Amino acid sequence: MAIPDTLKAGLSFPAIAAPMFLVSGPELVIATCQSGMIGTFPALNQRTTEGYAQWIDEIQGALTPEDARFGVNMIVHPTNSRLMADMMVTVEKKVPLVITSLGAVRDVVDAVHSYGGVVFHDITTVRHAQKAAEAGVDGLILVCNGAGGHAGTYNPFALLGEIRQWYTGTLILSGCLSRGSDVAAALMMGADLGYMGTRFIATREAMASDGYKTMLTQSSAKDIVYTPAISGVPASFLLPSLESHGITKDMLKDMTTKMDMDHEMSDEAKAWKTLWSAGQGTGNVRDILPTSELVARLKAEFSEATQRFAQTNLV
Ligand SMILES: Cc1cc2nc3c(=O)[nH]c(=O)nc-3n(C[C@H](O)[C@H](O)[C@H](O)COP(=O)(O)O)c2cc1C
């Protein structure tokens, strides 16, 4: 139960800015890492493997050993035809952290370990956590109820407690963490790191449109719908963005889509461009900030929360 040593370097806030489809790119990753928090992006945010390699070069060129480490997200699924080529680039460039989604595969884990990299895998159920642990990943990202993107359905206390009973690797908690005090609470529950998606959409460096960022600051938990209708597996979306395209909550019941990563990158992937994803934590996102300011605020909130807790003197 710890943060791997290689990721502790340069880390001054115990959290990861989560990889987000069409939202996270080099600018956000660099600003996050320079602020002392781990920055990440999905490999598929670039249209080609060559583009992916260029982004890594850009990030590695901008970061110094004093900055926090960065990571990439790989979709390990038969429909991701780029996986092999992207993994070769990842190994060649020695990306410090690889976050795998969907499949936890021993070959991918071994490839990353071969150069001293770390693999975290995101899961929504105990069964998937067990499979990932068997594949030898270094940490599990517990994607809980209310998260942005492909969220889980379990309450974080329930899922984290159950997995901590048998898992000794790094645990990362995901879902509705918007404030520094939320990250402090996650650590108090037994997580090693927090994982923040939605909060980082509303940063100056995120690739999301201004309309998307503004909608986040005006929405709250009641505006989030959790539906498989857009991408084939259940994900959280901002209802106002659906409604502005004529899609009502009732219509979602009749819509079906099949998951296909190549398709996600095709023109129809514009779905995610126009139908915006966010988690229930959006109600705690009220401003659009430069990432450095956001992380400075998160650190102050974290510190205030831990001091407040220490002063309760209840036990
Ligand atoms: C717009 C958006 C896109 C996302 N895309 C991805 C993705 O490509 N890969 C991935 O592993 N997770 C993705 N996620 C999930 C996040 O990595 C993370 O688990 C989630 O945002 C955490 O919950 P929060 O948004 O409540 O902080 C996405 C989330 C959002 C909001």
Side-chain angles (χ1 to χ4, degrees):
M1 163 155 54
I3 302 169
D5 285 342
T6 52
L7 297 185
K8 273 192 202 152
L11 192 69
S12 54
F13 184 65
I16 298 171
M20 291 182 281
F21 189 50
L22 307 181
V23 171
S24 333
E27 224 193 317
L28 180 58
V29 171
I30 291 166
T32 306
C33 296
Q34 286 177 339
S35 305
M37 180 173 163
I38 297 167
T40 66
F41 73 92
L44 293 179
N45 271 0
Q46 263 284 17
R47 292 197 158 264
T48 61
T49 297
E50 292 70 36
Y52 166 59
Q54 279 165 16
W55 272 12
I56 296 177
D57 288 343
E58 191 179 331
I59 292 166
Q60 289 182 325
L63 296 180
T64 70
E66 282 70 46
D67 299 319
R69 301 299 175 254
F70 78 100
V72 298
N73 173 224
M74 292 282 159
I75 307 290
V76 183
H77 191 269
T79 58
N80 179 10
S81 54
R82 264 181 45 195
L83 179 64
M84 190 64 93
D86 287 358
M87 273 309 298
M88 284 172 74
V89 167
T90 306
V91 172
E92 185 202 321
K93 307 222 174 258
K94 299 186 167 53
V95 173
L97 168 65
V98 174
I99 294 170
T100 51
S101 296
L102 302 179
V105 175
R106 173 69 70 173
D107 287 351
V108 171
V109 174
D110 288 348
V112 177
H113 284 172
S114 72
Y115 63 85
V118 169
V119 181
F120 291 160
H121 183 72
D122 63 23
I123 59 97
T124 54
T125 67
V126 173
R127 191 173 69 85
H128 286 127
Q130 281 161 343
K131 283 175 110 178
E134 280 161 23
V137 302
D138 304 288
L140 298 171
I141 301 163
L142 280 46
V143 186
C144 295
N145 194 14
H150 295 138
T153 54
Y154 286 110
N155 176 285
F157 289 100
L159 192 60
L160 195 138
E162 257 189 62
I163 293 176
R164 205 33 125 193
Q165 286 172 34
W166 55 269
Y167 187 67
T168 54
T170 307
L171 280 188
I172 304 103
L173 190 67
S174 168
C176 307
L177 273 60
S178 314
R179 304 162 302 167
S181 51
D182 301 337
V183 176
L187 265 57
M188 221 164 273
M189 286 164 67
D192 299 295
L193 289 164
Y195 203 66
M196 310 178 88
T198 298
R199 176 59 265 200
F200 279 77
I201 302 173
T203 55
R204 205 179 57 197
E205 293 85 353
M207 298 190 297
S209 66
D210 290 343
Y212 188 171
K213 294 176 187 178
T214 302
M215 188 179 284
L216 272 180
T217 64
Q218 296 168 348
S219 300
S220 47
K222 68 170 174 34
D223 300 311
I224 302 300
V225 284
Y226 181 64
T227 174
I230 316 291
S231 69
V233 289
S236 302
F237 289 92
L238 283 161
L239 185 57
S241 78
L242 272 55
E243 287 171 340
S244 70
H245 289 84
I247 303 169
T248 63
K249 222 173 182 174
D250 282 345
M251 286 162 69
L252 292 171
K253 289 188 211 104
D254 305 321
M255 290 168 63
T256 50
T257 310
K258 200 170 137 297
M259 168 116 97
D260 180 338
M261 287 307 150
D262 286 338
H263 156 92
E264 289 242 317
M265 289 313 290
S266 75
D267 279 356
E268 272 200 64
K270 303 297 185 276
W272 278 71
K273 209 158 197 151
T274 47
L275 308 177
W276 297 328
S277 176
Q280 291 176 10
T282 188
N284 292 318
V285 180
R286 300 292 82 166
D287 45 17
I288 302 160
L289 294 173
T291 299
S292 60
E293 263 180 53
L294 171 59
V295 179
R297 181 199 285 174
L298 293 172
K299 287 177 184 173
E301 289 170 342
F302 180 94
S303 158
E304 204 229 326
T306 50
Q307 279 166 29
R308 197 171 57 236
F309 184 79
Q311 282 160 10
T312 53
N313 284 327
L314 288 176
V315 283

